[in-house]
């Protein structure tokens, strides 16, 4: 079973990398970019077949390692 975990900064948390990317895109001539928020994507392959158990395990992974839940949100997609 394949899963994707998307980790993004919570609203209100400053994103200096996103601001740097936004500035660089503007410098490259992409003038229609309003703002950029930077995040992380994890593609995880699981050996089990129980989707509910997989989601629970992925949530534990996020809470313990993949996301800093003080400043980041995460979303889990299971394929």
């Amino acid at each position: 079973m394949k899963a994707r975990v998307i980790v993004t900064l919570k609203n209100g948390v400053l994103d200096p990398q996103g601001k740097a990317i936004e500035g660089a895109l503007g410098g490259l001539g992409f003038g229609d970019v309003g703002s950029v928020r930077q995040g992380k994507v994890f593609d995880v392959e699981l050996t089990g077949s129980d989707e509910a158990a997989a989601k629970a395990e992925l949530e534990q992974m996020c809470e313990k390692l993949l996301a800093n839940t003080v400043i980041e949100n995460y979303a889990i997609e299971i394929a």
Side-chain angles (χ1 to χ4, degrees), residues 17-36:
Q17 286 181 307
K19 280 290 185 196
I21 294 166
E22 180 183 323
L25 289 171
L28 291 170
F30 298 102
D32 289 338
V33 176
S35 68
V36 176

Side-chain angles (χ1 to χ4, degrees), residues 4 6-7 15 26-28 34 43 47 49 52 55 58 60 62 64 72 75-76:
R4 175 166 283 175
I6 302 167
V7 180
D15 185 0
L28 291 170
D43 289 325
T47 57
S49 60
K55 184 165 182 162
L58 287 161
Q60 288 180 7
C62 290
K64 293 181 179 182
E72 293 175 319
I76 297 170

Side-chain angles (χ1 to χ4, degrees), residues 45-66:
E45 199 164 324
L46 302 167
T47 57
S49 60
D50 182 351
E51 191 170 319
K55 184 165 182 162
E57 189 171 30
L58 287 161
E59 286 177 357
Q60 288 180 7
M61 291 177 196
C62 290
E63 295 288 331
K64 293 181 179 182
L65 178 67
L66 300 180

